[in-house]
Amino acid sequence: MQCASDSVCSAGRRRKLHSTYDSRSGEESITLRTYRAAGVDIDAGNALVERIKPLAAATARPGANAALGGFGAFFDLKAAGFKDPVLVSTTDGVGTKLRLAFATGKHDTVGIDLVAMCVNDLVVQGAEPLLFLDYFACGKLDVDVAADVVKGIAEGCRIAGCALVGGETAEMPGMYTDGEYDLAGFAVGAVERERALTGTAAQAGDVILGLASSGVHSNGFSLVRRVVSDLGLDYSAPAPFANDRSLGEVLLTPTKIYVAAARAAFAAGGVRAFAHITGGGLVENLPRVLPKGLVGELDAGSWDLPPVFRWLMQSGEVAPEEMARAFNCGLGMLAVVAPDRVDDVIAAFAQAGETAHRVGRVGAGPGDAAPVVRIEGLDRWRDG
C-alpha cells in the first residue's frame, strides 16, 4: 500500500525534536519525541505491508503486476487488450455494516463488500474492472485485523478479476475509537467507447431480469442495527430466521460480485442497461438507467422475498414500501433486456453461474417525465 501524511507504512519517518531550556545550567537540552510515542507505529505498518504483499500479488492481471511499494501504480491498457477505451471510475465504502464486524470480531469479509460495492457499479456501465485501491483508517493499527480486512479485499479483487495495486493505511490517534476502523475503496475499469452503457438505450417493452442477492449486501444497516437493538438481540445468538447460523454471521454475508455474470450477459447481446441495487433500494436505482418518459414496472410476486428481509419487515415493523426503498429485497442486480434476446441473456447468466428471473418490464410513462419505478404486489410481502 502507498501512504501519505499520517500513514504508518512509509519507511522513513523523522522523529520530532522538542527543544527545552534548562534554567539551572543555562543550556538548551534536547528531548526526543518519537512517532510511536505519539501513537503511530511505523514498524506495525511495515509489518502489515509485508504480510499483504502476497495477497496483492495474487491479484495480478494483464496490464498490472499488482506489486506494492511504489508511490503509484501503472496500468497498461494496451496489454489489457483495449483499443479505444473509455475509463470508468467508482468509489464507495461499506457503511455501518462495519459495526457488525467490530461487534463480532469477524473482519475477513467486509473487504469483499468493499470491492463489490465498487466493481458492481463499474460493470453496470459495461466496463471491465481493471484495478482497485483501498483506504484503511484507524486510531491504532492492529496488524492481524488489518490483514484480515485486506485478505477480503484481495479475495474480492480475485472474484472481480481486477488487480489490487495499492492503497493507504492511515493510523490516526484520536480520530477513531480503539478497535474500530473505516474503509473506502476506489476502482477503475474500462470499456471500448462504442460499447459503453450510458442509461439511454432502454425502450418501452424491454424485459427486466433480476439476479438474486446474497443477503442485505452493504446498504440499509443503520435500519438493520436499529431493529436488532430494539429487539434486544445479540449478534452471536442464532438468527431468528436461520437457526443454523448466528445473526451476525448471516448479516455479515458479503455483497455478491456480479462482474463475471454481467459481462457474460453483456457479451451475449441485447442488454440495454444494468442497475446495481444499492442505497435507495429498488425504487431509486432502476430509474438511474432509464431514459425520460419510461417506467420500470416490477412485480413483487415474481421473486421470493428472502427470509432475512421478511424478518426485518415483520419484526422491525417496516412497511413493504419502505423495504423497497431501503434494501435490495433479494435482487442485487437488474438487467434491462431487448425482448427478442431475453432467452440468450438468461442462458449467458446461467453459464456464468447466476439464475435470472423475469421480474418486470419497461413501460411508457407520461411524455418527458423523469423515469420512475412502480412495484405491484407489495402486499404479498406483508401477507406472506
Side-chain angles (χ1 to χ4, degrees):
M1 290 185 173
Q2 286 79 39
C3 306
S5 56
D6 277 339
S7 56
V8 300
C9 45
S10 66
R13 289 292 177 182
R14 293 179 295 175
R15 295 175 297 178
K16 180 177 179 181
L17 293 178
H18 175 63
S19 300
T20 60
Y21 186 81
D22 189 334
S23 59
R24 291 172 297 177
S25 63
E27 297 177 352
E28 187 178 53
S29 63
I30 301 295
T31 302
L32 292 178
R33 284 186 177 171
T34 66
Y35 214 12
R36 178 176 292 178
V40 179
D41 190 341
I42 296 172
D43 292 334
N46 291 335
L48 174 61
V49 172
E50 291 304 311
R51 187 179 297 189
I52 66 178
K53 277 183 178 180
L55 299 175
T59 68
R61 52 151 294 150
N65 63 12
L68 301 183
F71 285 93
F74 292 98
F75 193 95
D76 186 341
L77 286 168
K78 185 176 181 181
F82 289 92
K83 295 175 181 165
D84 183 26
V86 177
L87 293 180
V88 185
S89 59
T90 62
T91 183
D92 213 328
V94 180
T96 62
K97 188 174 186 177
L98 290 178
R99 301 213 67 84
L100 276 68
F102 305 155
T104 62
K106 181 175 174 55
H107 304 278
D108 59 348
T109 59
V110 289
I112 300 176
D113 286 295
L114 185 67
V115 175
M117 295 302 290
C118 293
V119 298
N120 286 341
D121 281 353
L122 285 181
V123 79
V124 300
Q125 311 280 175
E128 174 187 354
L130 302 176
L131 59 92
F132 190 86
L133 300 98
D134 67 274
Y135 175 77
F136 178 98
C138 60
K140 181 175 178 54
L141 180 62
D142 183 319
V143 174
D144 291 335
V145 169
D148 271 353
V149 172
V150 178
K151 178 182 177 183
I153 293 172
E155 175 62 10
C157 287
R158 184 195 65 77
I159 296 170
C162 63
L164 175 58
V165 298
E168 167 81 353
T169 305
E171 186 175 36
M172 299 181 287
M175 288 289 289
Y176 297 90
T177 302
D178 285 352
E180 298 186 358
Y181 54 83
D182 198 10
L183 289 175
F186 311 87
V188 177
V191 57
E192 296 292 359
R193 192 179 304 271
E194 73 278 3
R195 296 276 290 162
L197 294 176
T198 60
T200 60
Q203 302 174 18
D206 285 346
V207 175
I208 302 174
L209 302 179
L211 300 184
S213 66
S214 56
V216 183
H217 284 187
S218 297
N219 297 104
F221 272 90
S222 292
L223 179 53
V224 171
R225 290 169 45 243
R226 180 63 180 269
V227 170
V228 172
S229 175
D230 287 350
L231 294 175
L233 299 177
D234 192 299
Y235 290 114
S236 63
F241 48 88
N243 289 329
D244 57 331
R245 303 171 68 194
S246 71
L247 178 60
E249 182 184 5
V250 174
L251 294 176
L252 278 171
T253 301
T255 305
K256 184 179 286 190
I257 294 175
Y258 296 99
V259 170
R263 283 179 55 75
F266 190 38
V271 173
R272 311 242 210 228
F274 290 112
H276 181 204
I277 309 304
T278 55
L282 295 166
V283 173
E284 300 290 340
N285 284 287
L286 182 56
R288 297 168 66 182
V289 298
L290 297 179
K292 290 181 179 179
L294 295 183
V295 177
E297 301 171 348
L298 300 178
D299 178 5
S302 62
W303 77 93
D304 292 330
L305 185 68
V308 61
F309 294 111
R310 191 171 302 281
W311 170 76
L312 283 167
M313 182 181 65
Q314 295 176 345
S315 298
E317 299 181 334
V318 182
E321 295 76 12
E322 183 64 17
M323 293 292 297
R325 287 178 59 89
F327 301 108
N328 66 64
C329 297
L331 299 179
M333 183 73 77
L334 300 180
V336 179
V337 183
D340 61 338
R341 301 306 300 275
V342 170
D343 290 341
D344 292 336
V345 172
I346 289 176
F349 277 132
Q351 187 67 29
E354 290 288 342
T355 300
H357 299 279
R358 296 177 186 238
V359 296
R361 64 183 295 276
V362 176
D368 220 19
V372 296
V373 167
R374 296 176 186 151
I375 307 178
E376 298 181 355
L378 284 175
D379 283 343
R380 300 176 193 171
W381 289 358
R382 183 186 289 110
D383 298 338

